[in-house]
Amino acid sequence: RALAAQTQDGLTVAVRANVEIPEEAVEAREEGAEGIGLYRTEYLYIDRLHPPTEDEQLTAFRAVLDAMPHRPIVLRTFDIGGDKFVSTFKMPVELNPMLGLRAVRLALLRPEVFLEHLRAMVRASAFGDVRIMVPMVSSVSELVWARQMLEKAIAQVKAGGAPVAEHIPLGVMIEVPSAAVLADHFARHAEFMSIGTNDLIQYTLAVDRSSRRLAHLASPFDPAIVRLIERVVAAGERYDRPVSVCGAMAGDPLAALLLLGLGVREFSMEVSAIPQVRETFRRVTLEEARR
Ligand code: PEP
Ligand code: MG
């Protein structure tokens, strides 16, 4: 737990945690996570009739920041819809919810809810190393819009007299194949990229991520997935943008080694996977991972 995620030839990588509720951040710290690479904020919206207030959201974000001071905390804007059902929004019945009104698409439809969400994140930024990322982005215009909304939220919070961090990095999740294909364009508009392999695999291989019967088809080792990840890493290198992986692939020791060999240097995973993945990195050289 106390040892760094360092390969035998001395390369140190970041191992961070995915959390869904603030209490998990405490466990993450105890397992030695170097920050939160994915806070799934949509859980704040679950099982309730109205969206959480800005203050309520701020309290939850601060709890995560307090659990892990001086470390990067990546707040993902709500990924509602698809496999993540919530009662807060009256969602239309869709034949293919995974391809429907989900995440940033819902934000575009309910900008006032999104803006309140962003204001809570902006207010939290005064208390730690807050970074914000947007899920399910499929076109550059959605990211450009999210940035405009973030700027608006920052202006509103400042106008209200509350402190705000000097800079709040805005990143994009690469989890729709179109975003992976156009990673170089996204890299110009995002300050970091985080590959969501759960959805990237689902959408690239056309395998419903919730299907048990098709789970064997959803392989992170599929060459199509490997090639897309290579592409995103190359775009990150070209534009000097950090690339992390926060899907379940990052928490699978063998797949994590593949990612390491492909050039990924930041990993975020469920807390329980952290010790084993860190130990795995310590057993190999970068050259072995590349091979
Ligand atoms: C992913 O899609 O890989 C991801 C990390 O996001 P989620 O599992 O919350 O959709
Ligand atoms: Mg996802």
Side-chain angles (χ1 to χ4, degrees):
R1 187 181 297 180
L3 300 176
Q6 190 179 55
T7 61
Q8 294 199 344
D9 45 350
L11 174 76
T12 304
V13 299
V15 174
R16 302 191 179 122
N18 294 352
V19 299
E20 288 162 7
I21 51 170
E23 290 75 13
E24 281 180 300
V26 176
E27 280 171 49
R29 184 190 58 213
E30 283 163 6
E31 287 299 347
E34 296 145 277
I36 303 297
L38 168 64
Y39 175 14
R40 292 183 165 104
T41 64
E42 57 272 7
Y43 283 86
L44 290 168
Y45 294 77
I46 276 178
D47 284 338
R48 47 189 301 158
L49 291 173
H50 302 288
T53 65
E54 191 178 315
D55 285 344
E56 242 177 285
Q57 295 186 53
L58 176 62
T59 302
F61 301 157
R62 284 200 61 179
V64 174
L65 288 160
D66 290 348
M68 189 116 25
H70 315 298
R71 299 284 197 182
I73 307 292
V74 181
L75 304 178
R76 171 173 78 179
T77 61
F78 58 67
D79 181 5
I80 296 168
D83 59 326
K84 301 171 181 79
F85 303 110
V86 283
S87 47
T88 307
F89 298 92
K90 301 218 166 15
M91 305 288 279
V93 177
E94 295 174 300
L95 207 50
N96 290 301
M98 297 284 198
L99 305 179
L101 191 56
R102 183 180 163 189
V104 71
R105 298 168 178 181
L106 181 64
L108 271 154
L109 200 75
R110 299 291 300 273
E112 75 293 349
V113 177
F114 190 56
L115 198 56
E116 184 171 45
H117 189 43
L118 289 175
R119 278 198 305 268
M121 293 183 175
V122 169
R123 285 169 64 190
S125 75
F127 304 97
D129 183 354
V130 167
R131 305 165 189 197
I132 298 176
M133 76 178 174
V134 189
M136 271 299 288
V137 173
S138 60
S139 79
V140 172
S141 62
E142 291 164 335
L143 181 60
V144 170
W145 175 79
R147 185 174 291 284
Q148 286 165 356
M149 293 297 277
L150 176 58
E151 277 160 14
K152 200 167 172 180
I154 290 172
Q156 289 178 349
V157 171
K158 282 185 176 165
V164 175
E166 209 165 291
H167 182 64
I168 307 172
L170 180 68
V172 62
M173 282 193 75
I174 304 288
E175 52 180 354
V176 179
S178 59
V181 169
L182 291 183
D184 51 338
H185 289 267
F186 280 92
R188 282 182 228 163
H189 293 274
E191 288 159 272
F192 63 94
M193 298 189 280
S194 189
I195 306 175
T197 50
N198 305 336
D199 279 307
L200 188 63
I201 292 168
Q202 146 164 283
Y203 294 125
T204 303
L205 302 178
V207 181
D208 185 328
R209 63 187 277 181
S210 61
S211 168
R212 281 175 201 276
R213 295 184 76 179
L214 298 180
H216 63 288
L217 297 177
S219 169
F221 300 101
D222 189 288
I225 302 304
V226 174
R227 206 177 269 192
L228 285 178
I229 292 171
E230 250 181 338
R231 218 183 154 90
V232 179
V233 171
E237 281 169 3
R238 181 158 160 220
Y239 290 94
D240 200 19
R241 305 288 196 251
V243 173
S244 68
V245 174
C246 63
M249 183 177 182
D252 172 309
L254 194 57
L257 280 190
L258 172 60
L259 294 170
L260 180 71
L262 287 169
V264 174
R265 299 292 176 262
E266 296 180 11
F267 300 78
S268 192
M269 62 201 68
E270 56 177 317
V271 174
S272 61
I274 291 176
Q276 200 183 1
V277 169
R278 188 189 278 121
E279 187 192 350
T280 303
F281 288 148
R282 292 181 61 86
R283 286 179 182 223
V284 298
T285 63
L286 182 56
E287 189 45 42
E288 283 169 332
R290 282 206 183 108
R291 261 209 313 276

